[in-house]
Amino acid sequence: MAQTGHTENSTTENTTTHHTKHSATMRRTLRREAPSTIGLLTDAQDFAAMRRYRTFTFDDHTVYLQQVEGLLKALAAQGVHTTVALFDPEDYAEFCAESGLDADTGASRSRFTAEIAAAGATVAYTGQRLSDLIPVLVSRAVRQATWEYATLLLADLGTCADCGQDIGRAAFDRASHLLTRLLEAAGPGTHHLVCSTPTENDQLLAVLHTYRDTTGPARLDSSEGAEFATVLAVAIALESRGGVVLRTSAPDSPDRVHGWRLAHGALPPLTAGEVFNAYCTDADTGEPVSPESGVEYCAGFDIGADPAEPHH
Protein backbone atom coordinates (compact mmCIF):
# COMPACT_ATOMS: atom_id res chain seq x y z
CA MET A 1 0.00 0.00 0.00
CA ALA A 2 2.79 2.36 0.90
CA GLN A 3 4.58 1.65 -2.35
CA THR A 4 1.38 2.09 -4.30
CA GLY A 5 0.66 5.35 -2.59
CA HIS A 6 4.16 6.63 -3.36
CA THR A 7 3.73 5.75 -7.01
CA GLU A 8 0.42 7.60 -7.22
CA ASN A 9 1.95 10.72 -5.61
CA SER A 10 4.89 10.67 -8.01
CA THR A 11 2.57 10.32 -10.96
CA THR A 12 0.45 13.24 -9.74
CA GLU A 13 3.53 15.41 -9.20
CA ASN A 14 4.89 14.58 -12.65
CA THR A 15 1.54 15.36 -14.25
CA THR A 16 1.30 18.69 -12.39
CA THR A 17 4.86 19.63 -13.32
CA HIS A 18 4.25 18.76 -16.98
CA HIS A 19 1.03 20.80 -17.00
CA THR A 20 2.80 23.78 -15.42
CA LYS A 21 5.65 23.67 -17.95
CA HIS A 22 3.19 23.30 -20.83
CA SER A 23 1.18 26.29 -19.61
CA ALA A 24 4.33 28.38 -19.30
CA THR A 25 5.35 27.41 -22.84
CA MET A 26 1.94 28.38 -24.20
CA ARG A 27 2.09 31.73 -22.39
CA ARG A 28 5.52 32.44 -23.85
CA THR A 29 4.18 31.59 -27.30
CA LEU A 30 1.21 33.88 -26.84
CA ARG A 31 3.48 36.61 -25.52
CA ARG A 32 5.58 36.47 -28.67
CA GLU A 33 2.44 36.75 -30.78
CA ALA A 34 0.98 39.63 -28.76
CA PRO A 35 2.22 42.95 -30.23
CA SER A 36 3.61 45.67 -27.97
CA THR A 37 3.40 49.44 -28.23
CA ILE A 38 5.72 51.97 -26.58
CA GLY A 39 4.68 55.59 -26.12
CA LEU A 40 7.83 57.64 -26.67
CA LEU A 41 8.69 61.10 -25.34
CA THR A 42 10.88 62.25 -28.20
CA ASP A 43 12.09 65.62 -26.91
CA ALA A 44 13.36 67.03 -23.64
CA GLN A 45 10.46 69.46 -23.23
CA ASP A 46 7.83 66.71 -23.31
CA PHE A 47 9.99 64.61 -21.00
CA ALA A 48 10.20 67.47 -18.50
CA ALA A 49 6.40 67.86 -18.57
CA MET A 50 5.96 64.21 -17.52
CA ARG A 51 8.30 64.56 -14.54
CA ARG A 52 5.54 66.27 -12.58
CA TYR A 53 3.98 62.84 -12.10
CA ARG A 54 5.33 60.97 -9.06
CA THR A 55 5.03 57.56 -10.74
CA PHE A 56 7.11 58.69 -13.73
CA THR A 57 10.46 57.70 -12.27
CA PHE A 58 12.91 58.84 -14.96
CA ASP A 59 14.89 62.02 -14.31
CA ASP A 60 17.20 62.19 -17.34
CA HIS A 61 15.96 62.25 -20.94
CA THR A 62 19.13 60.75 -22.41
CA VAL A 63 19.05 57.84 -19.97
CA TYR A 64 15.33 57.41 -20.68
CA LEU A 65 15.98 57.10 -24.42
CA GLN A 66 18.76 54.59 -23.78
CA GLN A 67 16.42 52.49 -21.65
CA VAL A 68 13.69 52.61 -24.30
CA GLU A 69 16.14 51.47 -26.95
CA GLY A 70 17.26 48.62 -24.70
CA LEU A 71 13.65 47.56 -24.20
CA LEU A 72 13.00 47.62 -27.94
CA LYS A 73 16.00 45.39 -28.55
CA ALA A 74 14.93 42.98 -25.81
CA LEU A 75 11.41 42.67 -27.21
CA ALA A 76 12.75 42.13 -30.71
CA ALA A 77 15.06 39.38 -29.40
CA GLN A 78 11.98 37.64 -28.00
CA GLY A 79 10.27 37.81 -31.38
CA VAL A 80 7.72 40.41 -30.23
CA HIS A 81 6.47 42.84 -32.86
CA THR A 82 6.74 46.33 -31.39
CA THR A 83 5.52 49.71 -32.61
CA VAL A 84 6.44 53.13 -31.26
CA ALA A 85 3.90 55.94 -30.88
CA LEU A 86 4.45 59.61 -30.09
CA PHE A 87 3.48 60.37 -26.48
CA ASP A 88 2.22 63.95 -26.06
CA PRO A 89 1.89 65.11 -22.40
CA GLU A 90 -0.81 67.70 -23.16
CA ASP A 91 -2.94 65.17 -25.03
CA TYR A 92 -2.34 62.70 -22.19
CA ALA A 93 -3.56 65.13 -19.53
CA GLU A 94 -6.64 65.94 -21.61
CA PHE A 95 -7.32 62.23 -22.20
CA CYS A 96 -7.17 61.46 -18.47
CA ALA A 97 -9.44 64.39 -17.61
CA GLU A 98 -12.06 63.36 -20.17
CA SER A 99 -11.87 59.68 -19.16
CA GLY A 100 -11.89 60.31 -15.42
CA LEU A 101 -8.50 58.63 -14.99
CA ASP A 102 -5.75 59.37 -12.50
CA ALA A 103 -2.95 60.70 -14.68
CA ASP A 104 -0.30 59.74 -12.14
CA THR A 105 -0.43 55.98 -12.76
CA GLY A 106 1.34 53.62 -15.09
CA ALA A 107 -1.99 52.02 -16.00
CA SER A 108 -3.32 55.34 -17.32
CA ARG A 109 -0.16 55.91 -19.36
CA SER A 110 -0.49 52.40 -20.78
CA ARG A 111 -4.14 52.95 -21.71
CA PHE A 112 -3.36 56.26 -23.39
CA THR A 113 -0.54 54.64 -25.36
CA ALA A 114 -2.94 51.99 -26.62
CA GLU A 115 -5.42 54.70 -27.67
CA ILE A 116 -2.90 56.76 -29.63
CA ALA A 117 -1.46 53.65 -31.27
CA ALA A 118 -4.91 52.70 -32.53
CA ALA A 119 -5.69 56.11 -34.00
CA GLY A 120 -2.40 57.92 -34.43
CA ALA A 121 0.93 57.65 -36.18
CA THR A 122 3.27 54.78 -35.30
CA VAL A 123 6.56 53.36 -36.52
CA ALA A 124 7.39 49.65 -36.41
CA TYR A 125 10.65 48.78 -34.69
CA THR A 126 12.78 46.61 -36.98
CA GLY A 127 16.15 47.00 -35.29
CA GLN A 128 16.86 50.55 -36.45
CA ARG A 129 18.61 53.00 -34.15
CA LEU A 130 16.32 55.15 -32.05
CA SER A 131 18.01 58.25 -33.47
CA ASP A 132 16.83 57.13 -36.91
CA LEU A 133 13.36 56.11 -35.75
CA ILE A 134 12.49 59.38 -33.99
CA PRO A 135 12.54 61.70 -37.06
CA VAL A 136 10.31 59.27 -38.96
CA LEU A 137 7.89 59.10 -36.04
CA VAL A 138 7.72 62.88 -35.68
CA SER A 139 7.20 63.30 -39.42
CA ARG A 140 4.32 60.82 -39.41
CA ALA A 141 2.75 62.52 -36.42
CA VAL A 142 2.92 65.90 -38.17
CA ARG A 143 1.37 64.38 -41.29
CA GLN A 144 -1.41 62.82 -39.22
CA ALA A 145 -2.16 66.12 -37.46
CA THR A 146 -2.14 68.01 -40.77
CA TRP A 147 -4.51 65.53 -42.39
CA GLU A 148 -6.91 65.60 -39.41
CA TYR A 149 -6.93 69.41 -39.32
CA ALA A 150 -7.46 69.69 -43.08
CA THR A 151 -10.26 67.09 -42.95
CA LEU A 152 -12.03 69.04 -40.21
CA LEU A 153 -11.73 72.25 -42.22
CA LEU A 154 -13.38 70.61 -45.22
CA ALA A 155 -16.12 69.00 -43.11
CA ASP A 156 -17.01 72.34 -41.49
CA LEU A 157 -17.65 74.02 -44.85
CA GLY A 158 -21.05 72.39 -45.15
CA THR A 159 -23.13 72.45 -48.33
CA CYS A 160 -23.50 74.99 -51.09
CA ALA A 161 -26.53 77.24 -50.53
CA ASP A 162 -27.24 77.33 -54.28
CA CYS A 163 -26.87 73.70 -55.37
CA GLY A 164 -26.79 71.72 -52.12
CA GLN A 165 -23.46 70.11 -53.01
CA ASP A 166 -21.04 69.21 -50.20
CA ILE A 167 -18.31 71.83 -50.63
CA GLY A 168 -15.56 69.81 -48.97
CA ARG A 169 -16.32 66.68 -50.99
CA ALA A 170 -16.43 68.64 -54.25
CA ALA A 171 -13.09 70.26 -53.43
CA PHE A 172 -11.53 66.88 -52.61
CA ASP A 173 -12.80 65.39 -55.87
CA ARG A 174 -11.33 68.33 -57.76
CA ALA A 175 -8.00 68.01 -55.92
CA SER A 176 -7.87 64.29 -56.68
CA HIS A 177 -8.43 65.01 -60.37
CA LEU A 178 -5.64 67.60 -60.41
CA LEU A 179 -3.25 65.23 -58.63
CA THR A 180 -4.03 62.38 -61.02
CA ARG A 181 -3.44 64.56 -64.06
CA LEU A 182 -0.21 65.97 -62.59
CA LEU A 183 1.20 62.49 -61.95
CA GLU A 184 0.24 61.34 -65.45
CA ALA A 185 1.79 64.39 -67.08
CA ALA A 186 5.00 64.16 -65.01
CA GLY A 187 6.14 61.07 -66.90
CA PRO A 188 8.67 58.48 -65.70
CA GLY A 189 11.06 59.07 -62.81
CA THR A 190 11.12 59.46 -59.06
CA HIS A 191 8.83 62.34 -58.09
CA HIS A 192 8.72 64.41 -54.91
CA LEU A 193 5.68 66.72 -54.68
CA VAL A 194 4.99 69.41 -52.09
CA CYS A 195 1.69 71.26 -51.66
CA SER A 196 1.45 74.23 -49.33
CA THR A 197 -1.37 76.59 -48.47
CA PRO A 198 -1.99 79.07 -45.66
CA THR A 199 -5.05 78.87 -43.41
CA GLU A 200 -6.33 81.15 -40.68
CA ASN A 201 -4.33 79.35 -37.99
CA ASP A 202 -1.53 77.51 -39.73
CA GLN A 203 0.47 76.83 -42.87
CA LEU A 204 -0.59 73.43 -44.20
CA LEU A 205 2.04 71.34 -45.94
CA ALA A 206 1.71 67.95 -47.62
CA VAL A 207 4.43 65.83 -49.19
CA LEU A 208 4.03 62.98 -51.67
CA HIS A 209 6.65 60.57 -53.03
CA THR A 210 5.94 58.56 -56.16
CA TYR A 211 7.78 56.51 -58.73
CA ARG A 212 6.80 55.80 -62.31
CA ASP A 213 8.59 53.62 -64.81
CA THR A 214 8.29 53.95 -68.58
CA THR A 215 5.39 51.51 -68.92
CA GLY A 216 3.02 51.72 -65.95
CA PRO A 217 1.20 54.32 -63.87
CA ALA A 218 2.78 56.15 -60.94
CA ARG A 219 3.13 54.10 -57.78
CA LEU A 220 2.33 55.94 -54.57
CA ASP A 221 1.35 55.34 -50.98
CA SER A 222 -2.44 55.62 -50.72
CA SER A 223 -2.35 57.43 -47.37
CA GLU A 224 0.17 59.98 -48.65
CA GLY A 225 -2.00 60.52 -51.72
CA ALA A 226 -5.10 61.13 -49.58
CA GLU A 227 -3.22 63.56 -47.34
CA PHE A 228 -1.87 65.48 -50.32
CA ALA A 229 -5.29 65.69 -51.98
CA THR A 230 -6.89 66.85 -48.71
CA VAL A 231 -4.46 69.75 -48.28
CA LEU A 232 -4.89 70.70 -51.94
CA ALA A 233 -8.67 70.51 -51.46
CA VAL A 234 -8.47 73.00 -48.57
CA ALA A 235 -6.72 75.49 -50.87
CA ILE A 236 -9.38 74.92 -53.54
CA ALA A 237 -12.33 75.24 -51.17
CA LEU A 238 -11.02 78.31 -49.34
CA GLU A 239 -9.58 79.87 -52.52
CA SER A 240 -6.42 80.52 -50.56
CA ARG A 241 -2.95 81.02 -51.95
CA GLY A 242 -1.79 77.51 -52.71
CA GLY A 243 1.11 76.13 -54.64
CA VAL A 244 2.52 72.82 -55.82
CA VAL A 245 6.17 72.03 -56.49
CA LEU A 246 7.36 68.90 -58.30
CA ARG A 247 10.93 67.65 -58.17
CA THR A 248 11.79 64.82 -60.53
CA SER A 249 14.90 62.64 -60.37
CA ALA A 250 16.03 60.29 -63.12
CA PRO A 251 19.29 58.39 -63.70
CA ASP A 252 22.13 60.22 -65.46
CA SER A 253 20.33 63.57 -65.54
CA PRO A 254 19.99 66.59 -63.25
CA ASP A 255 16.96 66.92 -61.01
CA ARG A 256 14.19 69.05 -62.52
CA VAL A 257 11.96 71.33 -60.42
CA HIS A 258 8.59 72.56 -61.72
CA GLY A 259 5.93 74.66 -60.02
CA TRP A 260 2.27 75.69 -60.21
CA ARG A 261 0.03 78.12 -58.39
CA LEU A 262 -3.56 77.33 -57.46
CA ALA A 263 -6.13 79.66 -58.98
CA HIS A 264 -9.90 79.10 -59.33
CA GLY A 265 -9.67 75.34 -58.97
CA ALA A 266 -6.86 74.97 -61.52
CA LEU A 267 -3.06 74.72 -61.47
CA PRO A 268 -1.64 77.26 -63.92
CA PRO A 269 2.12 76.79 -64.35
CA LEU A 270 4.75 79.11 -62.90
CA THR A 271 7.53 80.47 -65.08
CA ALA A 272 11.08 79.20 -64.65
CA GLY A 273 11.99 82.48 -62.94
CA GLU A 274 9.12 82.14 -60.48
CA VAL A 275 10.15 78.57 -59.67
CA PHE A 276 13.74 79.69 -59.12
CA ASN A 277 12.65 82.52 -56.82
CA ALA A 278 10.36 80.24 -54.82
CA TYR A 279 13.04 77.59 -54.37
CA CYS A 280 15.92 79.96 -53.70
CA THR A 281 14.28 82.26 -51.14
CA ASP A 282 14.22 81.58 -47.40
CA ALA A 283 10.55 81.27 -46.44
CA ASP A 284 11.12 82.75 -42.97
CA THR A 285 13.50 85.63 -43.68
CA GLY A 286 12.91 86.34 -47.36
CA GLU A 287 16.66 86.27 -47.93
CA PRO A 288 18.11 84.66 -51.07
CA VAL A 289 19.33 81.07 -50.80
CA SER A 290 22.04 79.66 -53.06
CA PRO A 291 20.63 77.38 -55.77
CA GLU A 292 21.46 73.70 -55.58
CA SER A 293 24.06 72.35 -57.95
CA GLY A 294 22.80 69.75 -60.40
CA VAL A 295 19.24 71.09 -60.30
CA GLU A 296 17.34 72.64 -63.20
CA TYR A 297 14.59 75.14 -62.28
CA CYS A 298 11.95 74.76 -64.96
CA ALA A 299 8.58 76.26 -65.78
CA GLY A 300 5.53 74.27 -64.84
CA PHE A 301 3.82 72.39 -67.66
CA ASP A 302 0.20 71.98 -68.69
CA ILE A 303 -1.18 69.01 -66.74
CA GLY A 304 -4.19 68.60 -69.06
CA ALA A 305 -6.82 68.85 -66.31
CA ASP A 306 -10.49 69.34 -67.10
CA PRO A 307 -11.75 72.90 -66.55
CA ALA A 308 -12.94 73.61 -63.04
CA GLU A 309 -16.68 73.90 -62.44
CA PRO A 310 -17.94 77.36 -61.52
CA HIS A 311 -17.33 78.12 -57.83
CA HIS A 312 -20.44 78.13 -55.67
Side-chain angles (χ1 to χ4, degrees):
M1 292 290 293
Q3 182 65 38
T4 302
H6 176 72
T7 302
E8 290 174 350
N9 288 339
S10 298
T11 302
T12 302
E13 289 174 1
N14 290 338
T15 301
T16 302
T17 301
H18 174 75
H19 178 73
T20 301
K21 290 182 177 178
H22 183 61
S23 297
T25 301
M26 288 192 296
R27 283 195 297 270
R28 286 194 297 270
T29 301
L30 289 172
R31 181 67 188 90
R32 287 195 298 270
E33 296 181 4
S36 294
T37 304
I38 294 176
L40 182 64
L41 298 159
T42 57
D43 61 59
Q45 184 176 353
D46 286 346
F47 179 84
M50 290 301 294
R51 291 194 61 199
R52 69 177 181 266
Y53 299 116
R54 178 186 55 82
T55 57
F56 185 79
T57 57
F58 291 95
D59 56 11
D60 184 277
H61 188 232
T62 300
V63 173
Y64 161 80
L65 292 177
Q66 292 171 348
Q67 292 297 315
V68 169
E69 189 157 26
L71 176 59
L72 288 169
K73 290 179 179 179
L75 291 171
Q78 298 170 22
V80 177
H81 175 74
T82 307
T83 56
V84 182
L86 190 67
F87 195 104
D88 185 284
E90 292 185 5
D91 290 345
Y92 173 63
E94 183 178 337
F95 170 80
C96 290
E98 292 177 350
S99 305
L101 299 174
D102 180 2
D104 199 358
T105 67
S108 295
R109 291 192 290 273
S110 178
R111 181 171 169 180
F112 174 69
T113 298
E115 293 282 343
I116 59 176
T122 61
V123 174
Y125 177 72
T126 57
Q128 69 270 50
R129 294 181 302 176
L130 200 59
S131 58
D132 295 328
L133 184 150
I134 287 176
V136 177
L137 178 60
V138 171
S139 175
R140 290 188 181 178
V142 170
R143 281 176 44 200
Q144 176 86 7
T146 299
W147 178 76
E148 290 177 352
Y149 178 63
T151 300
L152 286 175
L153 283 177
L154 293 176
D156 288 343
L157 294 176
T159 58
C160 175
D162 294 329
C163 69
Q165 188 177 33
D166 186 296
I167 298 174
R169 169 53 62 182
F172 184 84
D173 290 344
R174 179 61 184 172
S176 299
H177 172 68
L178 293 176
L179 176 58
T180 298
R181 293 303 310 148
L182 179 56
L183 293 177
E184 290 178 355
T190 299
H191 304 299
H192 176 86
L193 293 94
V194 177
C195 176
S196 62
T197 184
T199 66
E200 183 177 351
N201 299 316
D202 204 356
Q203 178 80 19
L204 295 185
L205 187 72
V207 178
L208 178 63
H209 303 274
T210 72
Y211 172 76
R212 182 179 178 185
D213 57 28
T214 55
T215 58
R219 297 192 293 269
L220 70 156
D221 180 272
S222 58
S223 60
E224 276 194 6
E227 292 160 10
F228 191 95
T230 302
V231 171
L232 182 57
V234 169
I236 292 173
L238 301 182
E239 293 192 329
S240 56
R241 293 179 294 106
V244 174
V245 173
L246 166 68
R247 180 167 180 157
T248 299
S249 303
D252 303 322
S253 62
D255 284 6
R256 304 187 313 277
V257 177
H258 305 268
W260 297 260
R261 68 169 58 87
L262 185 69
H264 308 297
L267 286 175
L270 298 175
T271 66
E274 289 172 326
V275 172
F276 179 88
N277 290 336
Y279 234 79
C280 300
T281 302
D282 188 288
D284 296 324
T285 65
E287 295 296 320
V289 177
S290 299
E292 293 183 60
S293 61
V295 175
E296 295 181 355
Y297 301 92
C298 312
F301 45 81
D302 182 7
I303 65 174
D306 296 333
E309 295 182 4
H311 177 68
H312 298 287

